[in-house]
Amino acid sequence: MKITLTNFDKAFENRIRLQIMSVLVANESYDFNSLKELLEVTDGNLASHLKALEKDEYITVSKSFLGRKPNTRYLASAQGISAFKKHLEALENLIKQQKL
């Protein structure tokens, strides 16, 4: 049986990007430092993965100040949520194909 990989999204092949999208789909938004702590990654590593998701228009960025401190929040876009759900369905279908 041929395994079809339609709807697999290369953006989510990376573990960190998959985790970022999981967090953002499950929550309204998340700030940079909270994501960094939760995922246990470095600033640079997180920033590069966020930039990749932003480039694909899967997340949106909201910058503000909390008092005098800058705060960057990330939200999953409608396009990102849709792509992520299709990717998860594709993973589920892959698993189901293995059970046959």
Side-chain angles (χ1 to χ4, degrees), residues 13-77:
E13 281 183 355
N14 180 280
R15 173 187 67 84
I16 295 168
R17 286 195 292 271
L18 187 67
Q19 287 177 299
I20 290 168
M21 283 306 292
S22 296
V23 170
L24 295 181
V25 167
N27 297 277
E28 189 176 316
S29 68
Y30 234 77
D31 69 52
F32 186 88
N33 288 329
S34 297
L35 268 174
K36 186 177 89 165
E37 272 182 41
L38 182 68
L39 304 180
E40 299 178 342
V41 292
T42 63
D43 284 16
N45 200 350
L46 180 58
S48 67
H49 289 296
L50 288 166
K51 195 166 290 302
L53 290 170
E54 186 181 4
K55 185 173 157 259
D56 287 340
E57 298 181 356
Y58 287 171
I59 63 171
T60 58
V61 182
S62 166
K63 294 182 183 253
S64 63
F65 281 88
L66 294 177
R68 292 182 171 197
K69 291 181 93 174
N71 184 269
T72 305
R73 295 195 76 76
Y74 298 91
L75 298 85
S77 67

Side-chain angles (χ1 to χ4, degrees), residues 1-6 8 89-100:
M1 177 199 304
K2 184 180 184 300
I3 297 173
T4 59
L5 298 178
T6 51
F8 273 79
E89 285 173 19
L91 287 173
E92 286 176 14
N93 289 335
L94 177 64
I95 292 166
K96 286 176 187 166
Q97 287 175 12
Q98 302 312 306
K99 290 182 178 179
L100 298 178

